[in-house]
Amino acid sequence: MKVLVAVKRVVDFNVKVRVKADKTGVETANVKMSMNPFDEIGVEEAIRLKEAGKATEVVAVSIGVAQAQETIRTALAMGADRGIHVQTDAELQPLAVAKLLKAVVEKEQPKLVILGKQAIDDDCNQTGQMLAALLGWSQGTFASKIAPDGDSMTVTREVDGGLETVQLKLPAIVTTDLRLNEPRYASLPNIMKAKKKPIEQLAPDALGVDPAPRLVTLKVEEPAKRKSGVKLGSVSELVEKLRTEAKVIP
């Protein structure tokens, strides 16, 4: 089966995010960018499926600015076979991404689509579910284990009460959780090989999708700074402050 993996270019998780001076968003100029960590887990799982003989081809797809090709190259260096880049400078929101991915899925006809459960920049946790709804496919979200078996797939999900196991009929959408696997590091030979692997360029217009945002961000602000603590001399003083200042007890 063919596996399609969606990968997103985000601010590296080690970077301290700063809000722009005009409060229109976060600063991305001259900031280290990398693949969304949950998407790395998705790429790793797709490659493991291919190594186990369960998948025949792994295709990495990214949507966004020209620099998103670097993210695709990272997936290719990890072991993906080829890449697809839907280039757009528009501000991308989950519904637009889901519609673009739907068009790519209809073009590529994969049996399985793997996405990270959420991106660490917007934390929306919506794209996988929206894509499944648009396609009318089975979905297994927050996957900590997947096991394909013929025309079906067993997915173990992370839920509030513990674990839930569901069986999906292929084709299906799976979104990855942290415990699914540990992504590999790309070796230098594979990084060099990735430079020769093909990346197909597509445009939203060619896919018949308008990626224009439907929501407008009015303002982005940093969370309020935490006040420094104080040392109290007695329990009664603590209780008084909890009652009069924090107002957490009557």
Side-chain angles (χ1 to χ4, degrees):
M1 69 177 174
K2 182 191 292 186
V3 181
L4 191 75
V5 187
V7 295
K8 185 178 182 181
R9 180 177 182 263
V10 298
V11 175
D12 188 89
F13 69 93
N14 286 312
V15 174
K16 179 175 172 54
V17 176
R18 298 189 308 272
V19 175
K20 290 181 179 178
D22 59 5
K23 297 185 178 182
T24 58
V26 298
E27 191 60 66
T28 56
N30 301 316
V31 171
K32 182 183 178 184
M33 309 291 282
S34 62
M35 186 190 298
N36 179 48
F38 290 103
D39 296 342
E40 278 189 301
I41 294 170
V43 174
E44 174 65 27
E45 194 63 24
I47 294 166
R48 291 188 185 189
L49 289 174
K50 185 179 177 185
E51 291 172 343
K54 302 287 187 180
T56 55
E57 185 182 27
V58 177
V59 182
V61 57
S62 189
I63 303 169
V65 296
Q67 294 90 330
Q69 284 199 32
E70 300 168 8
T71 308
I72 297 174
R73 291 290 177 199
T74 300
L76 297 177
M78 289 175 68
D81 298 295
R82 59 187 176 90
I84 297 174
H85 179 211
V86 182
Q87 185 168 343
T88 175
D89 293 327
E91 177 193 346
L92 291 170
Q93 294 175 351
L95 182 59
V97 174
K99 287 181 177 180
L100 289 166
L101 287 175
K102 175 179 180 283
V104 173
V105 167
E106 290 172 343
K107 176 178 178 294
E108 291 290 324
Q109 294 295 307
K111 282 285 186 182
L112 176 64
V113 180
I114 303 178
L115 308 90
K117 71 170 184 177
Q118 64 196 80
I120 62 171
D121 54 359
D122 56 22
D123 268 345
C124 281
N125 179 23
Q126 296 173 347
T127 305
Q129 293 89 325
M130 287 178 171
L131 178 59
L134 291 171
L135 288 168
W137 285 13
S138 309
Q139 61 175 306
T141 55
F142 318 126
S144 61
K145 183 180 179 182
I146 65 174
D149 183 18
D151 290 332
S152 65
M153 170 176 287
T154 302
V155 177
T156 302
R157 303 180 59 238
E158 302 267 350
V159 296
D160 290 342
L163 298 175
E164 177 186 57
T165 301
V166 295
Q167 187 173 38
L168 311 180
K169 183 179 179 181
L170 296 177
I173 307 293
V174 170
T175 69
T176 63
D177 213 329
L178 285 172
R179 279 159 288 280
L180 182 58
N181 61 53
E182 183 72 30
R184 69 191 67 188
Y185 289 101
S187 64
L188 182 58
N190 285 341
I191 292 172
M192 300 306 292
K193 289 177 186 175
K195 294 180 179 180
K196 297 181 180 178
K197 291 182 179 179
I199 296 180
E200 182 181 359
Q201 291 275 1
L202 297 173
D205 290 346
L207 297 172
V209 177
D210 179 11
R214 299 185 175 218
L215 303 175
V216 177
T217 301
L218 300 179
K219 186 167 62 172
V220 176
E221 291 184 290
E222 291 188 21
K225 290 189 174 160
R226 186 175 178 179
K227 295 179 181 178
S228 58
V230 295
K231 190 178 288 187
L232 303 177
S234 65
V235 173
S236 59
E237 190 179 353
L238 171 61
V239 171
E240 183 62 23
K241 284 189 175 289
L242 290 175
R243 179 181 293 115
T244 60
E245 295 184 17
K247 296 183 179 177
V248 294
I249 60 174

